[in-house]
Amino acid sequence: ESIPIMRDLTEKKISSEIIFQGRFLDVRRDIVSLPNHTTSTREWIKHPGAACIVPILPDGQIALIRQYRYPVLQEMIELPAGKLDPGESPEECAKRELEEEIGYKTSKLTYLTHIHPAIGFASEKMWLYLAEELEKTERNTDHDEFVELIPTTVANAVSMVWERKITDVKTIIGILWLDKLR
């Protein structure tokens, strides 16, 4: 059998304009040159990146959180996560968000994988970490952030994925990675 010739599918930026500038996101409209030498428009969100944590509580349960997510107008069950601050590494972000959202520090943070949650319209890259050997501290959520801690067994978390009770992509991936590691 012959190997198919791989075409270069790269799109090259011709111009870019910021059409909205927010506190941590901006929306851009780029004109790009396509592989067939025509041009097209790409609208996308520039995102600073984020970290997601799969926290294993001292009793062996996984720490999920419940919070209202305005873009989908509903409460979601998720793993703790948050965006990177300027100059912050993914590891530092994971440790900070773990303490802010659920009130625990970790002495064992293990990189699992990274994902691109919304490749059709955003540049976001998210790093996923397993957090073990947790120690209770104080929760310190942002002034506009309201989260409820939901400790659950790994088996129950996996069931919630397959029963479609958890639909958040980072949470599904984190839970299934954890299940694969166990």
Side-chain angles (χ1 to χ4, degrees):
E1 282 185 42
S2 64
I3 298 171
I5 296 171
M6 300 296 281
R7 242 179 47 188
D8 181 8
L9 302 177
T10 306
E11 298 177 358
K12 294 176 179 59
K13 178 169 52 177
I14 296 170
S15 66
S16 183
E17 88 178 287
I18 296 174
I19 55 178
F20 171 79
Q21 178 81 55
R23 284 183 316 174
F24 80 96
L25 296 174
D26 62 55
V27 179
R28 298 176 182 223
R29 182 183 300 123
D30 293 2
I31 306 296
V32 298
S33 171
L34 301 174
N36 67 356
H37 307 294
T38 61
T39 61
S40 191
T41 303
R42 299 288 182 251
E43 293 177 349
W44 61 284
I45 297 168
K46 186 174 184 342
H47 190 286
C52 174
I53 311 96
V54 183
I56 306 303
L57 295 166
D59 66 3
Q61 293 194 99
I62 183 172
L64 296 176
I65 60 172
R66 184 173 62 90
Q67 78 178 305
Y68 187 81
R69 290 298 196 168
Y70 186 80
V72 293
L73 303 175
Q74 69 184 67
E75 290 179 359
M76 301 293 284
I77 297 171
E78 306 175 47
L79 288 166
K83 68 174 178 59
L84 274 63
D85 286 340
E88 186 177 46
S89 73
E91 294 86 358
E92 291 167 334
C93 177
K95 289 178 178 178
R96 178 179 53 76
E97 288 291 341
L98 184 67
E99 192 162 10
E100 284 179 7
E101 291 196 350
I102 67 165
Y104 280 91
K105 279 187 175 173
T106 180
S107 58
K108 188 177 179 190
L109 193 67
T110 307
Y111 170 78
L112 295 176
T113 192
H114 67 269
I115 60 173
H116 296 92
I119 57 172
F121 63 87
S123 66
E124 181 179 11
K125 180 176 180 178
M126 180 179 280
W127 288 262
L128 275 73
Y129 294 93
L130 177 63
E132 300 171 285
E133 299 174 11
L134 299 188
E135 181 185 319
K136 189 87 182 102
T137 60
E138 286 298 312
R139 217 164 76 185
N140 181 26
T141 52
D142 294 335
H143 76 282
D144 61 350
E145 188 176 39
F146 300 90
V147 301
E148 180 185 327
L149 179 60
I150 307 174
T152 190
T153 64
V154 176
N156 189 48
V158 171
S159 292
M160 290 194 306
V161 167
W162 298 125
E163 292 164 8
R164 300 173 185 88
K165 292 177 183 165
I166 293 175
T167 59
D168 172 61
V169 67
K170 71 183 177 301
T171 303
I172 291 170
I173 293 167
I175 289 169
L176 297 182
W177 262 83
L178 178 63
D179 189 44
K180 182 82 172 162
L181 294 174
R182 297 279 154 175

